[in-house]
Amino acid sequence: MQLQGFFGAAAGVAGTLIGLVFVALSVSRERLAEEEETQVHRVRGAAAFIALLNALTVSLTALISGDEEGWWALSIAVVGFVFVLASGLALVLDNGVRWADLPHLLFLFVLAVVFVAQFVAGLRLVSHGVDESLQTTFAVLVMVSFIVGISRAWELVGGPTISPSRQIVAMLRPLAKLFRSP
């Protein structure tokens, strides 16, 4: 397999990041117990965990040759998709539909797309066996899972929001001062 090195490294990284999410969750225990925004924090933590667990499981099973890889991909895709549905439903039922929750729902949607794509790839793997295009598909799904997991963990620990529009405005502010009249 051409991507064994990638999957081996990804499994190590995913395992380490899952450990850090556990630490972040234990440090954020008070925040998870608060009355306000509790569901949002829980969804952030759970989404980080399930995305990184997906990256770990897919990476480890990609290192296994045989039919097991497809069945594992199918299993984690089903579990992940059920998680996404339950989290989205809990978020909407707890808070109603609010603009403030749109980013959280968007991340859940991206995770849902990952799990649907993984389910389809897992079906292909079970029915047709391993091929290079499926390995590449799984590698991309692992990368997207990392992006979602890390970004959710970043928000969980209260990291600052990094948005391209804010960064552009911050860069242009000094230029705007040059053009102001004294």
Side-chain angles (χ1 to χ4, degrees), residues 103-181:
H104 308 296
L105 293 172
L106 181 62
F107 273 109
L108 289 175
F109 176 76
V110 170
L111 265 179
V113 170
V114 165
F115 291 126
V116 167
Q118 184 171 313
F119 186 83
V120 171
L123 282 176
R124 282 186 48 212
L125 188 60
V126 167
S127 63
H128 297 9
V130 177
D131 67 25
E132 192 174 320
S133 69
L134 280 177
Q135 289 296 310
T136 302
T137 299
F138 284 119
V140 169
L141 293 174
V142 165
M143 289 186 286
V144 173
S145 293
F146 274 135
I147 291 167
V148 171
I150 292 168
S151 63
R152 299 279 72 192
W154 180 256
E155 288 181 345
L156 178 69
V157 298
T161 302
I162 301 169
S163 103
S165 60
R166 286 185 189 172
Q167 298 303 315
I168 291 170
V169 168
M171 289 184 330
L172 294 178
R173 231 178 243 139
L175 291 176
K177 289 180 182 179
L178 293 175
F179 293 106
R180 286 188 187 154
S181 59

Side-chain angles (χ1 to χ4, degrees), residues 38-118:
T38 300
Q39 196 60 37
V40 170
H41 298 305
R42 287 182 184 157
V43 168
R44 283 178 184 157
F49 180 73
I50 197 75
L52 295 172
L53 182 63
N54 185 55
L56 176 66
T57 306
V58 170
S59 296
L60 287 174
T61 57
L63 296 172
I64 300 170
S65 59
D67 295 335
E68 298 87 15
E69 182 182 352
W71 291 111
W72 276 103
L74 287 169
S75 300
I76 194 72
V78 169
V79 169
F81 192 76
V82 168
F83 157 78
V84 167
L85 288 178
S87 295
L89 187 61
L91 193 61
V92 169
L93 290 177
D94 193 47
N95 298 329
V97 179
R98 303 180 315 173
W99 281 107
D101 292 331
L102 188 61
H104 308 296
L105 293 172
L106 181 62
F107 273 109
L108 289 175
F109 176 76
V110 170
L111 265 179
V113 170
V114 165
F115 291 126
V116 167
Q118 184 171 313

